[in-house]
Structure formats: structure tokens, C-alpha cells
């Protein structure tokens, strides 16, 4: 089981991979802990990182040629690595999302997503609010799951683990952008899903993904990361 994780979890530029792929990735802090969620894409020999920095709109950064060990990713099986048009179409979709997004940082997970035109589709009635993890999940959800399925079994998660000063800043930003917001609705969908849990989800193929499934995988993922950084 751990050997499978060892082979499929990749440190940036660790080994040759297909010229085209989409992956679930995280950036690590100096202690090797997952701190930031990204979608990492390779298309026609160029590398792109799609992510939400939190203090600015979602962006696509050209990552080509960077020499950094702090990006770890798992290639998704949902995209054709032999035909780069599949990956190219998804990269274009991400570009449309980034161009149209008005995302505000906040710990909201409500199974919302983005349409084929790149516009945000709210399922809860809340405006476009998410963390780096939430943004990535919202972008990927309709691509890797059936339209009727949610990505995560969100009832398994709650607000436990949200750091206080991040929470306060997020609510201040939300209030500034949406002064008429329904805060009861906001608190209903306020949850914490961490970057390491997001990375673990790349190894799952049954949706919605439960927290127990993630907890079963996480120790193996963390041990592989530690070995790759040693």
C-alpha cells in the first residue's frame, strides 16, 4: 500500500512523467508540512500552477524550470496523458475561471463549482467564497466526479482546526465585499479541509470522499513526503 503511494506521489522534477497531465498538488513549508493547495498542470512541456493565493484573485503561474522541492503532487487519472488536447482544454477552462473569478477568502465548502463558461455556480446561495483548498475542489469537482456527486462528504467536516486570526481576517474581507451577507448561512457551510487532506483525495476514486477514507490514507502520504524530502 505504501509502495503505491511512493510511486504515485511525485516531488517536482523528481522524475520524468508524461508531457501532459493534471494533478492535485500542495506546496510545503520548511518543515515539510502541506501549507497550500494547487492544481499542477503540465501541457506541451510547460508547467502551470493554478491556485488561489488568498490575498489576490486566483491565478495561473508559469512554473516551468523552477528548481524547488516544495511542490508535491499526484497525477489524476481523469485526463488523457496521450492526447494533450484533453489537458489543454482543462487549462483553458482554468484560465476562464481565473479571468472571471471574484473570489473572497473564507472557509466555505458548499459543493459549488464553475460552469463550462468559467462562471461561478453557487449551490448554497452564498457568493464566491473559498480557501485555496476550496477553490481547487470547486474547479475540479465537475471534471473528476459525476454531476450528481459531491467531491467530499462535507457533513464529515466542521470548523475544527480553523486558525483564529485567519478566520477573523476572512470574515472581515467577506463583510467588506458582501455587507448584506446572511451570516447564518455562512456559518452553516463554514468548514476546515486542510491541504494535506486535499492531497490525499487524489488517491480516491469513490465519491463523495469521506473523512475516514482520508484519515486512513494520510499517515502513508505524510511518511512518503518525509522520505522524499530527507
Amino acid at each position: 500500500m505504501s509502495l503505491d503511494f511512493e510511486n504515485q506521489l511525485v516531488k517536482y522534477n523528481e522524475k520524468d512523467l508524461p508531457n501532459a497531465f493534471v494533478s492535485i498538488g500542495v506546496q510545503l513549508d520548511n518543515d515539510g508540512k502541506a501549507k497550500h493547495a494547487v492544481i499542477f498542470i503540465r501541457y506541451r512541456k510547460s508547467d502551470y500552477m493554478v491556485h488561489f493565493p488568498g490575498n489576490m484573485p486566483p491565478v495561473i503561474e508559469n512554473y516551468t524550470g523552477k528548481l524547488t522541492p516544495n511542490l508535491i503532487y499526484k497525477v489524476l487519472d481523469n485526463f488523457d496523458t496521450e492526447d494533450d488536447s484533453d489537458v489543454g482544454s482543462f487549462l483553458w477552462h482554468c484560465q476562464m475561471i481565473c479571468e472571471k473569478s471574484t473570489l473572497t477568502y473564507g472557509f466555505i465548502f458548499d459543493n459549488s463549482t464553475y460552469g463550462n463558461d468559467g462562471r461561478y455556480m453557487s449551490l448554497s446561495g452564498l457568493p464566491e467564497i473559498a480557501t485555496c483548498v476550496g477553490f481547487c475542489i470547486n474547479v475540479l469537482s465537475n471534471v473528476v466526479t459525476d454531476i450528481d456527486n459531491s467531491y467530499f462528504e462535507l457533513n464529515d467536516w466542521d470548523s475544527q482546526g480553523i486558525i483564529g486570526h485567519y478566520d477573523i481576517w476572512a470574515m472581515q474581507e467577506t463583510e467588506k465585499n458582501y455587507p448584506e451577507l446572511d451570516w447564518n448561512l455562512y456559518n452553516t457551510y463554514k468548514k476546515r479541509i486542510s491541504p494535506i487532506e486535499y492531497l490525499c483525495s487524489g488517491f480516491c476514486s469513490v465519491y463523495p470522499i469521506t473523512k475516514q477514507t482520508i484519515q486512513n490514507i494520510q499517515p502513508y502520504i505524510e511518511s512518503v513526503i518525509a522520505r522524499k524530502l530527507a
Side-chain angles (χ1 to χ4, degrees), residues 5-206:
F5 293 135
E6 192 89 44
N7 290 333
Q8 294 188 57
L9 199 62
V10 182
K11 181 173 67 174
Y12 184 61
N13 277 343
E14 175 185 32
K15 59 183 178 181
D16 292 334
L17 284 170
N19 288 328
F21 63 81
V22 176
S23 68
I24 281 179
V26 295
Q27 289 185 300
L28 309 172
D29 63 19
N30 292 333
D31 296 324
K33 306 296 184 183
K35 67 174 182 177
H36 185 56
V38 306
I39 300 170
F40 184 65
I41 300 172
R42 179 164 294 162
Y43 176 63
R44 295 186 176 176
K45 299 183 180 180
S46 292
D47 296 332
Y48 302 93
M49 189 169 71
V50 183
H51 66 121
F52 174 43
N55 59 350
M56 59 184 287
V59 293
I60 300 178
E61 292 185 33
N62 191 318
Y63 211 76
T64 307
K66 291 195 176 183
L67 300 175
T68 171
N70 77 333
L71 177 65
I72 300 283
Y73 57 91
K74 160 65 169 66
V75 174
L76 293 172
D77 298 328
N78 309 80
F79 298 85
D80 188 350
T81 58
E82 300 298 326
D83 178 5
D84 68 9
S85 64
D86 196 22
V87 174
S89 294
F90 180 71
L91 182 60
W92 173 246
H93 178 60
C94 290
Q95 185 174 340
M96 287 195 299
I97 290 172
C98 291
E99 289 174 352
K100 297 177 180 179
S101 176
T102 59
L103 186 55
T104 298
Y105 189 88
F107 296 88
I108 298 299
F109 291 87
D110 60 358
N111 287 327
S112 293
T113 188
Y114 294 91
N116 292 332
D117 61 355
R119 296 187 184 279
Y120 185 66
M121 300 169 57
S122 174
L123 294 185
S124 66
L126 287 169
E128 189 181 4
I129 304 170
T131 61
C132 61
V133 173
F135 170 72
C136 292
I137 293 169
N138 291 347
V139 172
L140 288 168
S141 60
N142 275 352
V143 179
V144 302
T145 69
D146 293 332
I147 191 68
D148 294 331
N149 281 339
S150 62
Y151 190 85
F152 282 116
E153 179 51 71
L154 292 179
N155 290 330
D156 289 355
W157 278 268
D158 55 28
S159 60
Q160 184 177 357
I162 297 177
I163 299 173
H165 64 273
Y166 286 124
D167 190 24
I168 292 171
W169 177 73
M171 289 190 292
Q172 289 173 340
E173 290 296 298
T174 300
E175 186 173 22
K176 180 175 65 177
N177 293 336
Y178 302 101
E180 304 300 321
L181 185 79
D182 181 342
W183 287 98
N184 287 327
L185 188 61
Y186 181 97
N187 289 325
T188 297
Y189 293 100
K190 186 175 173 180
K191 300 173 185 292
R192 161 71 168 164
I193 299 178
S194 67
I196 190 64
E197 290 175 315
Y198 165 72
L199 181 62
C200 292
S201 75
F203 291 87
C204 302
S205 58
V206 177

